[in-house]
Amino acid sequence: MQQASQATVILGGGFAGLFTALHLSQRKYTHQVILIEQRDRFSFKPLLYELLSGELHSAQVYPRYKELLASSSVTFVQDTVKSIDLEQSRVTLTSSRIFNYRNLVLALGSKTTYFNTPGAAEYAMPFTSGEQAIALRKHLRHRLHQAIQTSDPARRRLLLTVAIIGAGPAGIELACTLADLLPIWYDELGGDAAEIRVVLINRSKEILKGDVNSHLRCTAQRALKGRIIPVDFLFDAAVSKIQADSVEYQQNNKTQILQVGTIAWTAGTTANPLLMNLPVANNRGRLLVTPTLQLPDFPEVFAAGDCAADSDQPQPPTAQVAYQQGIAIAQNIQHQREGKSPIPVEIKMRGTLMKLGLNEGVANLFNKVQIPGQPGHLIREATYLQLLPNAAHNRKITTEWLTDELFQRHRPASYMQLGQTPWLSGVATLAAGVIFATPLVWRAAQPMQFQQNLHWTGVPTLLNQLAPPPQ
Amino acid sequence: MRYLLNLRTAVSVNRIIMGLFFFVSGIANYLNFNVANGFYQTVITQKLQIIGPGIPPGWEGIGPLPSLIAIPYAWLLPLAEILVGALFALNYWVRWTGLLLILMTFSIILAFGIIPAGTLFPNGAESFNKNILFMTLIWICIAYDAYEQKMSRRRTEAMANYAVNNAMDDM
């Protein structure tokens, strides 16, 4: 089927693809924009932990594309890309539909890789989409229910042990969230929260190795040990085999087995296999692009996010980068159509953000100032909510989140369960206390001046009735 | 009855009463700051003692505190009572505010002694504060006992469910 050849086709509905589509629509782009994505919902990856824990719900961080694109001129096609022909400017889908394009945006993202570990694809649960977050939540709930019903201590220990493979940012954020969340869920079922065990398994000796967040290593390590149930570390351990209820690993040249009820996999991603077959230069599957995010030999084709690598200005594969690249591509496509030169993309990194447990995080502003704890959590949530696609959706969700934070609604666990204090309310109480105590201190220090200055308010008379001043 | 036998309710009420007690005490200390034998004079002249007033000469304790410590302490203690009491009652930073309250209470015990003024030993004299504390603490124990029984029942029910589910799975 021949589609309009003037069309701009966007492959992949992650941050880069979706934001390209939305910004083209906002710019009153006159040509057809087609977004092709195999899933029907957009996964806001940085906030999937909140979806797992129940701090935010599906409509907030796992919305349908149709809803996000309802007020735009973008055509959404739910299908999987079968092949890309750059020479013929053509994309073929598994449903045999063919789209010819004038501009193509490659934003297919990355795929989970198991490094050929036997059993990993079958038994380990990845954590890269809303669907997987919901599946992991259901699995964990099921395991806790099974554990509360069993009288065999060994079986219960197995059911209550969670192994997280990979100590990159995703593994650490997931471990911190589960080490706070599972004890609370299990306690609510009537179980002994102390029986929960969360184990972080890592191939190397250090966490966050080679990551953009590597300088947050100490903060993350402290946070992992400071959860309701401290996270156990199993480092320098190479996972060699995974079975339904065990992880086999090599450590110090010895093969060891850890009995577990749940295995979460955050160990690695690889580029989309479709990209490897393209006749263009790539760096481990990431297409080499110009500073304007175009393919050097195909200037009508743009690539962004996990698909692209700019050898002059390498960028980390984060939502923050993909979001800015999406906006820049929309601008460059429009420039190209208007006969202007595309503009090199300047990514402004505002620092990094990590979730380090329920109601706890770290905001590393401009890579200079680290704000940990609840203030860090508030900055992280507020920053990510501002990145939500579609202005109407953004306003609605941000308002919901703000009112939820203020009135402490829909929380997966109360502050009391976490042994924490809502930071804003605590400081407000402290300020109110100081204001309340000020006239009392004034009266004690300068009784005469207090009487004279505040006589008109009646406060001195009231206090004198409670306790007469010294004569 | 369900609310009375709830551990969280009991702990919350206990915490609010304790916090309020310190909050009101802070206000009262500022109101009676400068009166004769009032708060300020007491802090400036009071000795640190294990054995309270009415004890033979030579057992009055050491002190009073040097002015450098006593004056800031006198001015800041009521403020701390107000702020920390309010935070504690409202469940904010309970671990730290609770620790501060214990330290403040301990300083008062050191200042006034534990024998026989307070007193730790029953001597026929009513101690209102002590009775309030005893009541709330005993309530915690009762509620906790109810909580333990509930949890035990829940585990028994869960084990029974497991047996039924297992049988169904086998089929």
Side-chain angles (χ1 to χ4, degrees):
Chain A
M1 191 174 73
Q2 186 89 6
Q3 297 287 322
S5 61
Q6 288 297 312
T8 293
V9 174
I10 302 167
L11 304 183
F15 270 95
L18 182 63
F19 277 87
T20 305
L22 287 169
H23 278 267
L24 279 173
S25 177
Q26 277 172 23
R27 288 171 162 270
K28 311 284 181 214
Y29 184 69
T30 49
H31 303 285
Q32 192 184 13
V33 178
I34 301 163
L35 175 66
I36 301 171
E37 162 63 44
Q38 58 181 339
R39 298 192 176 98
D40 67 333
R41 287 168 179 266
F42 169 69
S43 294
F44 195 102
K45 286 186 185 175
L47 294 178
L48 289 182
Y49 313 97
E50 278 79 353
L51 180 62
L52 169 76
S53 68
E55 288 165 279
L56 293 171
H57 54 81
S58 291
Q60 292 173 318
V61 290
Y62 189 42
R64 290 180 194 283
Y65 284 105
K66 281 189 179 163
E67 287 161 18
L68 291 175
L69 300 169
S71 57
S72 73
S73 56
V74 178
T75 307
F76 176 66
V77 176
Q78 190 187 346
D79 210 330
T80 308
V81 180
K82 189 176 165 191
S83 65
I84 303 163
D85 188 340
L86 295 180
E87 304 288 349
Q88 300 290 322
S89 301
R90 183 186 293 163
V91 172
T92 309
L93 307 184
T94 44
S95 62
S96 301
R97 290 175 76 181
I98 294 170
F99 287 90
N100 290 306
Y101 61 82
R102 169 81 181 271
N103 283 108
L104 178 69
V105 180
L106 295 168
L108 288 161
S110 53
K111 290 193 178 247
T112 302
T113 179
Y114 297 104
F115 306 110
N116 299 321
T117 310
E122 292 83 10
Y123 303 116
M125 303 185 78
F127 191 77
T128 57
S129 70
E131 193 183 357
Q132 290 166 352
I134 292 167
L136 182 59
R137 182 172 63 194
K138 278 186 186 165
H139 175 85
L140 289 166
R141 285 266 190 198
H142 182 60
R143 284 292 190 235
L144 296 185
H145 277 97
Q146 284 180 311
I148 197 76
Q149 290 169 356
T150 184
S151 50
D152 174 9
R155 170 86 182 141
R156 196 165 57 240
R157 204 163 36 245
L158 177 145
L159 291 166
L160 294 175
T161 303
V162 179
I164 296 162
I165 301 168
I172 288 168
E173 290 181 295
L174 185 60
C176 285
T177 306
L178 293 182
D180 271 351
L181 189 65
L182 294 180
I184 293 167
W185 278 354
Y186 196 50
D187 182 60
E188 282 169 355
L189 291 176
D192 177 5
E195 289 184 305
I196 302 271
R197 193 173 172 216
V198 178
V199 187
L200 188 63
I201 303 175
N202 196 32
R203 181 179 279 269
S204 80
K205 283 180 183 168
E206 351 178 287
I207 60 171
L208 295 168
K209 195 176 180 185
D211 189 79
V212 67
N213 292 299
S214 56
H215 54 286
L216 297 177
R217 191 171 290 138
C218 293
T219 311
Q221 214 144 356
R222 260 199 310 274
L224 285 161
K225 286 292 175 195
R227 310 308 343 129
I228 294 181
I229 294 292
V231 175
D232 288 341
F233 297 151
L234 206 55
F235 290 171
D236 208 12
V239 174
S240 51
K241 190 177 175 187
I242 290 179
Q243 289 183 316
D245 49 13
S246 70
V247 175
E248 184 188 285
Y249 59 95
Q250 309 282 330
Q251 195 179 40
N252 302 327
N253 296 323
K254 282 183 195 164
T255 301
Q256 301 192 56
I257 291 175
L258 176 71
Q259 300 287 330
V260 292
T262 305
I263 305 158
W265 184 276
T266 63
T269 54
T270 185
N272 193 301
L274 275 173
L275 303 179
M276 306 286 252
N277 301 327
L278 295 179
V280 290
N282 69 64
N283 177 8
R284 285 187 289 177
R286 294 181 77 180
L287 307 179
L288 295 180
V289 292
T290 64
T292 53
L293 297 178
Q294 291 166 289
L295 299 187
D297 298 332
F298 298 92
E300 74 281 10
V301 181
F302 293 80
D306 297 358
C307 290
D310 180 355
S311 46
D312 296 335
Q313 290 176 308
Q315 300 291 348
T318 64
Q320 198 183 153
V321 172
Y323 156 84
Q324 293 180 55
Q325 286 177 333
I327 297 171
I329 289 176
Q331 189 184 20
N332 280 344
I333 288 176
Q334 195 166 34
H335 277 202
Q336 212 176 39
R337 291 290 176 106
E338 290 166 355
K340 297 179 195 165
S341 304
I343 301 167
V345 179
E346 275 186 42
I347 302 293
K348 289 180 184 137
M349 289 297 283
R350 297 168 199 145
T352 50
L353 304 158
M354 277 185 82
K355 183 176 180 70
L356 296 176
L358 295 183
N359 199 29
E360 190 172 329
V362 59
N364 178 34
L365 303 179
F366 304 102
N367 285 333
K368 283 180 184 157
V369 187
Q370 272 190 36
I371 302 178
Q374 287 174 47
H377 157 79
L378 290 173
I379 292 170
R380 177 181 174 274
E381 299 259 312
T383 307
Y384 280 139
L385 288 172
Q386 285 318 301
L387 292 185
L388 284 172
N390 181 326
H393 181 72
N394 192 328
R395 269 196 301 278
K396 182 172 170 278
I397 305 308
T398 306
T399 312
E400 277 177 19
W401 172 74
L402 274 174
T403 49
D404 285 356
E405 280 292 322
L406 281 174
F407 301 111
Q408 295 167 30
R409 291 190 305 231
H410 311 309
R411 296 197 67 82
S414 69
Y415 285 113
M416 203 174 199
Q417 284 170 298
L418 285 168
Q420 292 178 344
T421 289
W423 196 79
L424 285 175
S425 316
V427 173
T429 306
L430 211 54
V434 171
I435 293 167
F436 181 82
T438 303
L440 297 171
V441 178
W442 190 3
R443 181 181 185 265
Q446 301 281 343
M448 293 306 293
Q449 201 188 46
F450 177 77
Q451 298 279 346
Q452 283 164 5
N453 285 322
L454 288 186
H455 179 68
W456 60 276
T457 62
V459 173
T461 318
L462 180 71
L463 295 182
N464 289 348
Q465 280 177 2
L466 288 171
Q471 297 302 313
Chain B
M1 199 63 187
R2 216 180 68 190
Y3 287 108
L4 292 177
L5 292 180
N6 182 294
L7 179 66
R8 189 166 294 170
T9 311
V11 173
S12 300
V13 170
N14 192 34
R15 198 192 61 243
I16 291 166
I17 288 176
M18 293 305 297
L20 267 181
F21 172 79
F22 279 92
F23 183 77
V24 173
S25 163
I27 295 172
N29 284 339
Y30 272 136
L31 290 177
N32 295 307
F33 201 78
N34 290 325
V35 296
N37 295 320
F39 180 75
Y40 186 72
Q41 199 183 338
T42 308
V43 174
I44 298 296
T45 57
Q46 192 73 37
K47 293 184 175 202
L48 294 176
Q49 53 195 340
I50 298 298
I51 297 175
I55 288 298
W59 290 84
E60 295 92 341
I62 53 166
L65 284 169
S67 301
L68 200 65
I69 299 172
I71 293 172
Y73 184 77
W75 281 100
L76 291 177
L77 184 69
L79 180 65
E81 282 180 315
I82 291 171
L83 296 181
V84 178
L87 289 172
F88 188 77
L90 293 172
N91 198 21
Y92 296 155
W93 297 296
V94 167
R95 229 177 284 179
W96 299 106
T97 51
L99 181 67
L100 278 174
L101 290 180
I102 288 169
L103 288 175
M104 283 193 264
T105 312
F106 186 67
S107 75
I108 291 162
I109 289 172
L110 278 184
F112 290 95
I114 52 171
I115 309 166
T119 145
L120 274 182
F121 303 110
N123 59 359
E126 269 308 308
S127 171
F128 181 70
N129 296 343
K130 188 181 75 183
N131 288 345
I132 285 281
L133 291 176
F134 279 6
M135 280 164 66
T136 50
L137 291 171
I138 291 166
W139 183 15
I140 289 175
C141 297
I142 295 168
Y144 192 70
D145 186 56
Y147 176 78
E148 283 288 282
Q149 284 179 20
K150 188 176 77 184
M151 286 298 149
S152 169
R153 272 199 306 277
R154 220 188 258 186
R155 280 187 205 109
T156 314
E157 278 169 25
M159 268 189 262
N161 287 342
Y162 179 65
V164 173
N165 290 343
N166 250 4
M168 286 173 76
D169 287 347
D170 291 343
M171 288 158 69

